[in-house]
Amino acid sequence: MAVIDAPHVFLIFGNGWIATQIKELLLAKKVTVITSQVRTEDREQVLSELSYHKPTRVINCAGVRGLPNADWCEDHKVETVRSNILGVLNLVDCCFELGIHITHVGSACIYDNDPVHCPDGKAFTEDDEPFYAGSWYSRSRLISEKTIRHYPNLLLLRIRAPIAADLNPNNLITKLLNYKKLVNLPASGSVLPNLLPGAILLAENGVTGIYNLISPQPFTNNEIMELIKKYIRPSQSWENFELDDMHKVLKAPRCHPVFDTTKLVSKLKELGYEVKDTHEALEDLFIDMKAEGY
Ligand SMILES: NC(=O)c1ccc[n+]([C@@H]2O[C@H](COP(=O)([O-])OP(=O)(O)OC[C@H]3O[C@@H](n4cnc5c(N)ncnc54)[C@H](OP(=O)(O)O)[C@@H]3O)[C@@H](O)[C@H]2O)c1
C-alpha cells in the first residue's frame, strides 16, 4: 500500500513584517498556516498552543529588532532579553520536548569584519564562531544563537538588512530613504522575495542546523539608492558620511559583516531551488515595486 505523507501544518509565532511574508507564501502553496498570538516566553501557553494545534512545523518570527532602529533595544534591555533570548529558548525547547521541527528567524548581526574577514578577504561561514555584541540587539541575538544552536529539532536562519518589495518601516529601502546621511560600506543583506521561498523549502524538508539566509554578493547602501532612483524615485538624492560620523549619531555601534552563502546555495540547489545573485534579485524586486506603483 502506498504511504501518503500528511501535509504540513505550520504554526507561526510573531505577526509582523517577515511573518506576514512567510504566511502569504505558505497560503499560496495551500498549506495550513496558523498564526499564534501567544508570547514566546510564556512556557505554559506555548506548550498548550503546540498541544492544541499539533503543528508539524513551527516558524519563529517573533522578536524585537527596534523601531525606528536597533538603538531602541539600548533603552529596552529587559523587553529585548525576554523576546530575543528567553522567548526564543523557550519556544525551541518546548518544540524539542514535543518532537516538533522549528525554524527560527534569527540575525546575522553577530559578526563584524576583522583584518581577515572583510569584503576583499574571507566571508563568514556558518562554522565561524559568532562574537559580535557591540549593541544590545546583537548581544541578545548572540546569546540566543549560542544557547539554542545544538537543539536537534532546530533550523536557524540568520538574516541581515532584509529587503522586500514594499515600504514597511523594517525594510532596508525605507530605512535608507529616511536617513539623512548614509555610510557606503559593502556588506551582506537578505533579499527576501528570493530567499523566503527557499527558507520554506528547508523547513518543509525538515532541514536542521544553521544557515546564512543571505543573498550571495554583498552590496552598498549607494547601490540600493541607485536602484531606488532608477525604478521608484527618479529625483532621489542622498549624502554619504564616514563610519565614525555615523557612530556619533547612534546610541550603539553597528556591524557590516560579509557572509559566505555556499551552504545555503548548495542545499537549496539539492532541493531544486535557485538562490539568485544579489544584483539580479534586487533588480527583480525593484521591477516589481515599480509595477506595483511604489
Ligand atoms: N527586520 C529586520 O531588520 C531584521 C533583521 C534581522 C533579523 N530580524 C529578526 O526577524 C524577526 C522578525 O522581524 P520583523 O522585521 O518581522 O519584525 P516585526 O515586524 O517587528 O515583527 C516582530 C513580531 O514579533 C512579535 N513579538 C515580539 N516579541 C514577542 C514575544 N515575546 N512573543 C510573541 N511575539 C512577539 C511582535 O508582536 P508585538 O508587536 O505584539 O510585540 C511582532 O508581531 C525578529 O526576530 C527580528 O529580530 C529582523
Side-chain angles (χ1 to χ4, degrees), residues 30-208:
K30 310 243 181 288
V31 175
T32 305
V33 195
I34 303 149
T35 303
S36 177
Q37 302 303 327
V38 161
R39 304 310 289 179
T40 48
E41 64 271 24
D42 186 329
R43 189 163 187 90
E44 279 163 23
Q45 280 203 34
V46 166
L47 281 172
S48 132
E49 189 86 329
L50 295 174
S51 304
Y52 180 74
H53 292 296
K54 301 199 177 2
T56 55
R57 294 290 182 267
V58 167
I59 301 192
N60 183 31
C61 297
V64 296
R65 16 107 24 239
L67 255 186
N69 59 52
D71 276 349
W72 180 92
C73 300
E74 302 300 316
D75 298 325
H76 298 83
K77 290 194 167 73
V78 173
E79 291 93 325
T80 306
V81 168
R82 286 176 68 80
S83 288
N84 292 0
I85 301 176
L86 185 58
V88 173
L89 175 57
N90 184 46
L91 190 52
V92 172
D93 189 66
C94 288
C95 288
F96 172 70
E97 274 209 352
L98 298 178
I100 302 168
H101 181 280
I102 175 167
T103 302
H104 170 59
V105 178
S107 173
C109 288
I110 50 177
Y111 296 89
D112 199 8
N113 289 337
D114 57 30
V116 176
H117 298 90
C118 53
D120 295 327
K122 280 175 138 185
F124 288 107
T125 73
E126 288 82 350
D127 292 333
D128 288 312
E129 184 66 20
F131 59 88
Y132 182 74
S135 65
W136 194 258
Y137 174 78
S138 287
R139 177 180 291 267
S140 73
R141 292 299 180 190
L142 181 65
I143 292 171
S144 132
E145 173 166 322
K146 282 176 176 254
T147 311
I148 62 174
R149 65 185 171 186
H150 297 298
Y151 277 79
N153 58 323
L154 172 70
L155 169 64
L156 199 163
L157 301 176
R158 298 163 167 168
I159 63 169
R160 183 182 183 276
I163 306 184
D166 61 35
L167 287 178
N168 185 285
N170 296 1
N171 192 337
L172 179 67
I173 297 172
T174 317
K175 290 183 180 183
L176 295 183
L177 283 169
N178 289 333
Y179 287 137
K180 289 200 176 82
K181 292 186 180 179
L182 308 172
V183 286
N184 191 38
L185 300 170
S188 290
S190 305
V191 186
L192 295 180
N194 177 238
L195 294 175
L196 291 183
I200 289 171
L201 260 184
L202 295 175
E204 283 177 322
N205 282 280
V207 174
T208 55

Side-chain angles (χ1 to χ4, degrees), residues 5-10 22-34 200 204:
D5 286 338
H8 282 304
V9 173
F10 278 82
I22 291 177
K23 189 174 178 181
E24 280 171 11
L25 289 167
L26 287 169
L27 288 174
K29 294 179 90 166
K30 310 243 181 288
V31 175
T32 305
V33 195
I34 303 149
I200 289 171
E204 283 177 322

Side-chain angles (χ1 to χ4, degrees), residues 224-285:
I224 303 294
M225 294 309 290
E226 294 291 355
L227 287 165
I228 289 174
K229 196 171 162 67
K230 177 175 171 189
Y231 287 105
I232 58 169
R233 296 283 184 279
S235 59
Q236 188 68 39
S237 61
W238 66 94
E239 276 182 64
N240 288 127
F241 64 170
E242 297 302 316
L243 192 58
D244 285 348
D245 297 321
M246 184 184 86
H247 284 149
K248 282 181 202 151
V249 296
L250 292 174
K251 285 193 177 180
R254 303 291 195 270
C255 53
H256 296 84
V258 174
F259 289 95
D260 184 287
T261 57
T262 310
K263 184 178 175 187
L264 177 78
V265 172
S266 58
K267 176 50 93 179
L268 284 176
K269 196 171 177 193
E270 230 176 77
L271 297 174
Y273 187 79
E274 185 204 350
V275 177
K276 291 180 187 169
D277 281 354
T278 307
H279 190 69
E280 185 191 351
L282 283 170
E283 288 273 350
D284 289 352
L285 179 150

